[in-house]
Amino acid sequence: MTAGGHSVILVAALASMGVLAVLAPILERFLGRNAGYALSAGFVGVAVVLGWTAPTALAGGAVTASWPWIPDLGVSFTLRLDGLTALFCLLVLGVGALIMAYCPRYLPAGGPHGLVYFLLTLFGGAMLGLVLSGDLVLMFVFWELTSIISFFLIGAPGARSVRAAVRALLVTGAGGLAFLVAIVLLATVTGTTDLTAILAAPGRVLGSPVAPVVAALIIVAAFTKSAQIPFHFWLPGAMVAITPVSAYLHAATMVKAGIYLLLRFSTLYAGRPGWSLTLTGVGLLTAVLGAATALREHDLKALLAHSTVSQLGLLVAAIGVGTTAALAAAVLHTFAHALFKATLFMLVGVIDREAGSRDIRELSGLMRVMPVTATLTGLAGMSLAGIPPMIGFVSKESLFQGFVGARAFPGAGAVFGTLAIAASALTFAYGVRILYGAFAGPTLQRRLYEPAWSFLAPAGVAAVAGAVLGPAVIVLNPLMRQAILDVEPWGRPPYFALWHGFGPELLMTGVTIMCGTGLFLARDPVDRVLRRVPPLGGAMLFDRLYRGTLRFGAVVGRTAHRDATRVYLAPPVAAVVLLGGVAALGAHRRPLGPPSGPMDWVLLILLAAVVAGLLWTRSVLGAVALLGLIGLIVTTWFILAGAPDVALTLVLVEVLTAMVAAFVLRGLPPGLPRPDRCGRRAAGASAGLAGLAGA
């Protein structure tokens, strides 16, 4: 196929997602909740269409389509697909198709689900646009669109969910502002917003004084989207959304947007000390604390939410290490995590629907009544825990290999490796707890039965894929290798395999399994210890800041509801006095001299008389007339001073003021209130100070 044909495919794929979103409510009207199956087929169709470009992307090329968008700023509507983009497109469309096929049996029959289908499909299109964007301004638009759609999806169920939705929107929106500032700085330095051109000019970017600022802003944007400390709290709160939303947005796609951004900019910043230490330090801290918080949870969905925070921390830390091996591990684990975490979320939804609870303490012995559900959960849980031969085992060993090879400082490999083992051991412990708590032991709810195959099939596809792709991980090597080369064109990506022989990573896996098993066996004392440790919070502090900001805004805005004129005049008069004082202290200028001619004296005497009359009159109409006369006198002064343009402007302002006053006077009493003595003194002092400042 020609390059032009490939470009058409990119546009067609993105446009198709928009068409699917528009059709979603219509399909739901005719098919009910079964519209999810048609939308799932649509996701698969878009993936097949994009698949026509795969040979070019896997061969090291890139498919692009570009049109001028904002010519005055040099911004283009550019779509670009390379190996890294292809990987994330596969996650967006593949997991999206499974989620859409899962929705028909999860959503209650007979309910209005058109809006849910519309928003989920629109979100899939926004994520696809984000990873396909070849221009940073276009990427920012899709970046913010994902946050906005997420807000509506989280806030749909009710009042409690609205609070969580607001948190998610404000946190990720703040990160979006940081991203926008970074884009402006990059455009200023490089003269373009084209992503390829910026990444191809590392010397120009890194040699500029704004390079550290850009790196910090990119990190903030990624941390807010991918829920890293201290921005982590929005993700567990977002779990009030329905399970398909949690599985799609907050386990497989939206939270990976930050990972995608960090991988892209690793081309510029990989190996830089500030970048590496920040990502690795914060990532490993998030991984350990997130896993410890997950271990103390009994609600399966809350447990998986904190687990997602922890796994994202491992990904961020691996990107921070910056070596080819570590980046390769991050790429593979991104794929593996999307598979097993989406599976676990869908199966938790199945358990919740069938058993009526997600609390491990209320679930027991489900293996006997729901053996297929238990088996699929076991497969996904094994991949999460990094047990062979699952794909999670291959990616976890790759992460260990990347951390051991860190060279940020002497002994960095040992420190990072130890923290990675700690996070992984905690992960193993809560993974086993999920399986044991829900499926082992005596059966408490004997009337349960296995749900319909159509309910389990989407989760089953992902679970089996995770089991098969472990031994067959070599089939992913072409895609993974090209994705890594698109991040580090100079690197030599490793080949992934189930068995690499004996090495440090295998030993680390063994230590992880032993420590994780010990934590599980000692779960009662471990629970007591964890209960004494404050949880990994942040939501309460955010809510306090949010309420404080609203109260401050109410205090500031309260002046807009006063009838007293002095309330409105005081701030600008104070500002004039302050600016005049600053100018007097900082500027060397001659003092204002006396009038230079007889006409100036005439105007000055006339102005003083009119001002005196304005102070004396109590008539509203008279006051307005005298104010207009003052304006005309000053206009004459400007004309004599040789500034006719300023005089013309002032005349127009006076005319408009008179027109507005004519309408306002109709609703006011005819007389002006007389201020008390204190008010007159304060007004006189303010007028005097303002006059001195103007002089």
Side-chain angles (χ1 to χ4, degrees):
M1 183 177 289
T2 64
H6 283 161
S7 301
V8 171
I9 286 176
L10 296 185
V11 179
L14 190 58
S16 297
M17 294 300 294
V19 172
L20 281 176
V22 173
L23 291 177
I26 301 173
L27 291 172
E28 191 272 341
R29 179 171 298 181
F30 289 99
L31 303 177
R33 61 177 183 172
N34 290 333
Y37 294 128
L39 294 172
S40 177
F43 274 64
V44 172
V46 174
V48 171
V49 169
L50 279 178
W52 286 101
T53 65
T56 302
L58 297 182
V63 180
T64 60
S66 182
W67 298 268
W69 184 24
I70 312 176
D72 293 341
L73 299 179
V75 177
S76 299
F77 190 96
T78 302
L79 303 178
R80 185 176 186 275
L81 186 140
D82 58 11
L84 184 64
T85 304
L87 170 64
F88 279 86
C89 286
L90 180 62
L91 295 182
V92 171
L93 296 172
V95 176
L98 294 177
I99 296 300
M100 286 299 180
Y102 173 80
C103 284
R105 300 283 75 82
Y106 177 87
L107 298 174
H113 307 305
L115 181 60
V116 172
Y117 280 133
F118 167 74
L119 291 173
L120 280 174
T121 309
L122 189 64
F123 176 84
M127 272 300 303
L128 192 66
L130 191 156
V131 298
L132 283 173
S133 295
D135 188 280
L136 288 178
V137 174
L138 182 63
M139 183 184 293
F140 170 76
V141 171
F142 284 118
W143 180 282
E144 289 299 278
L145 187 58
T146 60
S147 296
I148 294 170
I149 299 171
S150 174
F151 167 78
F152 287 110
L153 284 169
I154 297 170
R160 178 171 166 239
S161 60
V162 169
R163 189 181 304 117
V166 169
R167 282 195 211 115
L169 179 65
L170 292 179
V171 172
T172 57
L177 291 177
F179 186 27
L180 179 60
V181 176
I183 292 171
V184 173
L185 293 177
L186 285 170
T188 303
V189 170
T190 62
T192 181
T193 57
D194 184 81
L195 181 59
T196 304
I198 290 173
L199 297 180
R204 185 181 300 179
V205 176
L206 299 178
S208 69
V210 302
V213 179
V214 171
L217 292 169
I218 292 295
I219 288 172
V220 170
F223 279 10
T224 56
K225 208 76 161 181
S226 293
Q228 298 299 286
I229 290 176
F231 309 108
H232 61 281
F233 56 86
W234 72 264
L235 181 56
M239 293 303 154
V240 296
I242 60 175
T243 297
V245 172
S246 300
Y248 191 33
L249 277 67
H250 307 130
T253 53
M254 177 175 162
V255 292
K256 299 293 172 54
I259 302 301
Y260 175 77
L261 187 66
L262 292 176
L263 284 171
R264 276 296 180 203
F265 279 89
S266 290
T267 305
L268 293 178
Y269 290 104
R272 298 281 163 173
W275 175 273
S276 296
L277 290 176
T278 301
L279 294 187
T280 309
V282 174
L284 287 173
L285 179 65
T286 303
V288 173
L289 295 181
T293 306
L295 188 58
R296 58 184 282 152
E297 293 288 347
H298 294 100
D299 183 286
L300 287 174
K301 201 172 181 183
L303 187 156
L304 292 179
H306 290 289
S307 169
T308 300
V309 171
S310 176
Q311 295 296 303
L312 291 170
L314 286 177
L315 290 173
V316 168
I319 296 171
V321 171
T323 62
T324 303
L327 290 171
V331 169
L332 180 62
H333 197 64
T334 298
F335 180 84
H337 177 263
L339 276 182
F340 63 68
K341 193 55 66 69
T343 304
L344 287 171
F345 268 108
M346 286 189 281
L347 290 172
V348 165
V350 171
I351 294 171
D352 190 19
R353 278 281 182 266
E354 299 299 319
S357 174
R358 300 193 305 255
D359 195 319
I360 296 179
R361 294 166 297 186
E362 299 175 4
L363 301 171
S364 180
L366 296 185
M367 181 68 183
R368 297 180 180 84
V369 291
M370 302 172 67
V372 178
T373 303
T375 302
L376 296 177
T377 306
L379 291 175
M382 288 171 61
S383 192
L384 168 67
I387 298 175
M390 312 300 296
I391 191 172
F393 164 75
V394 181
S395 64
K396 190 66 68 67
E397 286 222 327
S398 300
L399 288 174
F400 286 154
Q401 186 180 19
F403 288 128
V404 169
R407 298 292 182 265
F409 54 86
V415 174
F416 296 163
T418 301
L419 291 173
I421 289 174
S424 300
L426 291 165
T427 301
F428 183 94
Y430 67 67
V432 176
R433 176 172 292 192
I434 292 174
L435 300 178
Y436 180 84
F439 298 103
T443 303
L444 300 179
Q445 297 169 301
R446 297 184 177 277
R447 295 183 179 180
L448 294 179
Y449 54 87
E450 201 73 76
W453 68 268
S454 55
F455 198 6
L456 289 173
V461 170
V464 172
V468 172
L469 288 175
V473 70
I474 56 173
V475 303
L476 296 176
N477 274 323
L479 176 59
M480 298 298 165
R481 284 178 56 81
Q482 189 54 52
I484 299 158
L485 287 173
D486 289 328
V487 177
E488 278 195 350
W490 59 87
R492 299 182 62 183
Y495 281 93
F496 295 111
L498 179 64
W499 175 252
H500 284 288
F502 294 97
E505 59 273 13
L506 185 62
L507 176 61
M508 295 169 74
T509 297
V511 173
T512 296
I513 293 175
M514 287 190 297
C515 293
T517 303
L519 288 171
F520 171 72
L521 294 176
R523 55 189 175 277
D524 291 334
V526 168
D527 278 347
R528 287 194 293 270
V529 172
L530 290 176
R531 291 299 166 193
R532 298 192 189 101
V533 179
L536 183 60
M540 292 182 61
L541 176 60
F542 176 85
D543 289 342
R544 289 177 183 174
L545 290 174
Y546 177 69
R547 289 193 295 268
T549 303
L550 292 181
R551 285 195 295 269
F552 177 73
V555 171
V556 173
R558 197 174 298 160
T559 57
H561 303 285
R562 303 274 183 91
D563 293 332
T565 308
R566 61 179 179 271
V567 175
Y568 300 96
L569 292 178
V573 171
V576 169
V577 173
L578 179 62
L579 291 174
V582 172
L585 293 175
H588 299 283
R589 50 174 292 185
R590 293 181 301 171
L592 187 65
S596 58
M599 195 61 188
D600 289 345
W601 280 107
V602 172
L603 292 176
L604 183 60
I605 294 172
L606 185 59
L607 185 63
V610 175
V611 170
L614 180 62
L615 295 175
W616 183 261
T617 185
R618 300 270 69 84
S619 168
V620 173
L621 185 60
V624 172
L626 290 171
L627 278 174
L629 185 57
I630 290 173
L632 292 176
I633 294 172
V634 175
T635 300
T636 306
W637 210 334
F638 281 137
I639 293 174
L640 294 175
D645 52 342
V646 180
L648 179 60
T649 303
L650 185 56
V651 168
L652 293 176
V653 171
E654 292 298 334
V655 171
L656 290 174
T657 303
M659 293 174 62
V660 173
F663 288 101
V664 174
L665 289 175
R666 297 170 59 187
L668 293 177
L672 289 172
R674 186 175 184 84
D676 56 19
R677 181 177 299 178
C678 292
R680 290 197 298 272
R681 290 176 179 175
S686 300
L689 290 173
L692 289 174

